């Protein structure tokens, strides 16, 4: 049994080795970076199963050379870099992992709202100059915010993560509304959430959390049309996928002060080169796709990927099959 790990994110695979040795004694594990062409020729072509980071490209050209592979398990929710159609044509299952980090993403959204509500970055960056100009206490406050508990969170995409975000926001007293074409109003009511149209969501919300799937159908779901409906004091928060937002439109909206700002844990180009305009726009705060990171989520991520892979190796239907 040969398991091929394609990854540049993590430093060790102790959990993988322990688990696979227990299930398949004598398993050989080989690791490669994303530039794996030589490894594919040397040993990758005979892999029985593949564990791949979300950034690892696995196109048809690679899949066509796999001689023994029964499954490709992706470490995460995104699987757009794997040619799932080519894999299915060869009888190779592809899995992602859904819902493993919902509490972590919800924590991030609430933290982002507090960060924006209390203007922590703005006050901190201007404190020295403000002190010199006697701008201290209320003298330093240009706009008095409402308490977060008196504001409205709009959730765009009410799946597993959207529901968890709602629960976290309600815990601090916020009113929550949501838009999702595939979830009924009665279902949302069960979570204490009111279903609204996309137009009402963007017009009414003080904060908007994007929790849509990162599929081609959702590309540019948030563009100038939606942004133009937002309040000037409203913030956009995205922990889903960068393709959902038209970045040029967002940059224009923030620069022109048509919205207060944005907090993004995902951008369109990942990993970025450093030249992306979205990384250098005052009022837009970007974090390096780490909202999911916790000891608990990291363990769950690896466990689910291994469970999916072993199911495919054993000829069973995995939990998260996407093709």
């Amino acid at each position: 049994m040969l398991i091929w790990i394609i990854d540049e994110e993590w430093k060790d695979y102790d959990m993988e080795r322990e688990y696979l040795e227990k299930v398949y004694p004598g398993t050989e594990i080989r690791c490669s970076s994303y530039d794996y062409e030589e490894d594919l020729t040397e040993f990758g072509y005979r892999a029985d199963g593949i564990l791949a980071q979300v950034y690892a490209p696995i196109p048809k050209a690679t899949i066509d050379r796999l001689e023994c592979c029964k499954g490709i398990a992706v470490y995460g929710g995104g699987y757009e870099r794997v040619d799932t159609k080519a894999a299915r044509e060869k009888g190779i299952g592809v899995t992602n992992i859904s819902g493993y980090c919902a509490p972590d993403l919800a924590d991030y959204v609430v933290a982002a709202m507090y960060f924006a509500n209390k203007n922590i970055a703005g006050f901190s960056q201007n404190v020295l100059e403000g002190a010199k100009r006697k701008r201290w206490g209320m003298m330093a406050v240009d706009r008095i915010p409402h308490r977060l508990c008196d504001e409205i969170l709009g959730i765009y995409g009410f799946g597993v993560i959207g529901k968890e975000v709602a629960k976290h926001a309600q815990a601090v007293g916020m009113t929550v509304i949501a838009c999702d074409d595939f979830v009924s109003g009665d279902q949302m009511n069960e979570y204490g959430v009111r279903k609204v149209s996309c137009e009402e969501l963007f017009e009414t919300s003080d904060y908007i959390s994007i929790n849509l799937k990162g599929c081609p159908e959702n590309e540019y779901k948030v563009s100038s049309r939606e942004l133009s409906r937002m309040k000037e004091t409203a913030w956009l928060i995205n922990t889903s996928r960068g393709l959902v937002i038209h970045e040029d439109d967002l940059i224009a909206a923030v620069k022109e002060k048509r919205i207060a700002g944005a907090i993004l844990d995902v951008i369109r180009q990942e990993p970025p080169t450093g030249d992306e305009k979205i990384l250098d726009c005052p009022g837009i705060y970007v974090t390096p796709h780490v909202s999911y990171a916790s000891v608990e989520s990291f363990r769950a991520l690896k466990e689910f990927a291994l469970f999916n892979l072993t199911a495919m190796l054993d000829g069973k239907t995995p939990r998260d099959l996407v093709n």
Side-chain angles (χ1 to χ4, degrees), residues 197-217:
S197 66
C198 178
E199 291 78 12
E200 184 176 351
L201 183 111
F202 278 85
E203 290 170 357
T204 306
S205 302
D206 298 296
Y207 303 90
I208 297 174
S209 176
I210 307 300
N211 298 109
L212 295 168
K213 291 182 178 179
C215 56
E217 293 78 11

Side-chain angles (χ1 to χ4, degrees), residues 17-35:
R17 295 181 191 283
E18 180 181 351
Y19 178 86
L20 290 167
E21 179 60 31
K22 182 178 179 179
V23 178
Y24 309 115
T27 297
E28 179 185 6
I29 297 176
R30 302 290 295 270
C31 303
S32 300
S33 68
Y34 303 149
D35 183 15

Side-chain angles (χ1 to χ4, degrees), residues 224-292:
S224 57
R225 182 179 61 179
E226 290 74 29
L227 295 167
S228 67
R229 297 181 183 275
M230 291 176 65
K231 301 176 182 179
E232 291 182 356
T233 55
W235 285 78
L236 189 71
I237 303 166
N238 188 16
T239 58
S240 61
R241 284 294 181 268
L243 64 81
V244 174
I245 296 175
H246 194 297
E247 291 182 351
D248 287 343
D249 289 355
L250 176 60
I251 291 169
V254 172
K255 282 187 173 181
E256 295 166 14
K257 301 190 182 301
R258 289 185 274 117
I259 68 172
I263 299 172
L264 314 174
D265 191 50
V266 288
I267 59 176
R268 187 171 184 92
Q269 176 62 44
E270 291 190 22
T273 63
D275 296 325
E276 290 77 9
K277 291 185 291 183
I278 198 75
L279 301 178
D280 189 30
C281 178
I284 297 180
Y285 299 89
V286 180
T287 53
H289 203 152
V290 291
S291 56
Y292 72 96

Side-chain angles (χ1 to χ4, degrees), residues 283-318:
I284 297 180
Y285 299 89
V286 180
T287 53
H289 203 152
V290 291
S291 56
Y292 72 96
S294 71
V295 171
E296 293 79 9
S297 70
F298 193 63
R299 182 172 185 84
L301 175 63
K302 289 200 166 196
E303 285 179 345
F304 281 126
L306 287 165
F307 294 160
N308 282 330
L309 182 64
T310 53
M312 291 185 285
L313 290 172
D314 293 341
K316 300 174 182 178
T317 301

Side-chain angles (χ1 to χ4, degrees), residues 13-298:
Y13 308 100
D14 294 342
M15 182 183 296
E16 287 86 346
R17 295 181 191 283
E18 180 181 351
Y19 178 86
L20 290 167
E21 179 60 31
K22 182 178 179 179
V23 178
Y24 309 115
T27 297
E28 179 185 6
I29 297 176
R30 302 290 295 270
C31 303
S32 300
S33 68
Y34 303 149
D35 183 15
Y36 57 72
E37 184 64 28
E38 290 185 9
D39 290 348
L40 174 63
T41 300
E42 180 183 343
F43 61 83
Y45 71 93
R46 59 182 179 86
D48 295 283
I50 296 174
L51 289 162
Q53 191 57 256
V54 292
Y55 300 123
I58 308 182
K60 184 178 187 299
T62 295
I63 291 168
D64 286 345
R65 294 172 62 183
L66 300 175
E67 297 181 0
C68 311
C69 189
K70 299 180 180 67
I72 300 170
V74 178
Y75 285 121
Y79 56 91
E80 61 274 8
R81 288 175 168 81
V82 181
D83 190 325
T84 55
K85 182 176 182 292
R88 176 47 53 201
E89 289 173 352
K90 287 203 68 170
I92 300 172
V94 179
T95 60
N96 70 339
I97 306 170
S98 60
Y100 74 96
C101 60
D104 305 281
L105 300 191
D107 284 346
Y108 181 98
V109 172
V110 173
M113 290 190 292
Y114 272 118
F115 175 85
N117 179 269
K118 292 302 183 183
N119 191 23
I120 292 173
F123 287 137
S124 176
Q125 290 169 356
N126 298 322
V127 69
L128 179 58
E129 183 62 28
K132 292 177 180 178
R133 298 169 56 193
K134 308 299 183 185
R135 288 176 59 85
W136 200 262
M138 285 303 297
M139 293 292 292
V141 179
D142 295 322
R143 183 184 68 85
I144 302 176
H146 289 284
R147 291 174 175 167
L148 195 65
C149 64
D150 290 329
E151 296 194 298
I152 297 172
L153 169 64
I155 298 176
Y156 198 6
F158 202 66
V160 173
I161 295 169
K163 293 179 177 69
E164 190 71 18
V165 170
K167 183 172 73 174
H168 277 55
Q170 289 164 338
V172 300
M174 298 185 75
T175 297
V176 181
I177 60 178
C179 174
D180 193 314
D181 294 338
F182 303 100
V183 181
S184 71
D186 288 342
Q187 289 174 303
M188 290 190 188
N189 288 339
E190 293 176 7
Y191 292 87
V193 174
R194 182 169 66 89
K195 181 180 174 73
V196 298
S197 66
C198 178
E199 291 78 12
E200 184 176 351
L201 183 111
F202 278 85
E203 290 170 357
T204 306
S205 302
D206 298 296
Y207 303 90
I208 297 174
S209 176
I210 307 300
N211 298 109
L212 295 168
K213 291 182 178 179
C215 56
E217 293 78 11
N218 286 333
E219 185 175 25
Y220 296 155
K221 277 284 190 176
V222 180
S223 61
S224 57
R225 182 179 61 179
E226 290 74 29
L227 295 167
S228 67
R229 297 181 183 275
M230 291 176 65
K231 301 176 182 179
E232 291 182 356
T233 55
W235 285 78
L236 189 71
I237 303 166
N238 188 16
T239 58
S240 61
R241 284 294 181 268
L243 64 81
V244 174
I245 296 175
H246 194 297
E247 291 182 351
D248 287 343
D249 289 355
L250 176 60
I251 291 169
V254 172
K255 282 187 173 181
E256 295 166 14
K257 301 190 182 301
R258 289 185 274 117
I259 68 172
I263 299 172
L264 314 174
D265 191 50
V266 288
I267 59 176
R268 187 171 184 92
Q269 176 62 44
E270 291 190 22
T273 63
D275 296 325
E276 290 77 9
K277 291 185 291 183
I278 198 75
L279 301 178
D280 189 30
C281 178
I284 297 180
Y285 299 89
V286 180
T287 53
H289 203 152
V290 291
S291 56
Y292 72 96
S294 71
V295 171
E296 293 79 9
S297 70
F298 193 63

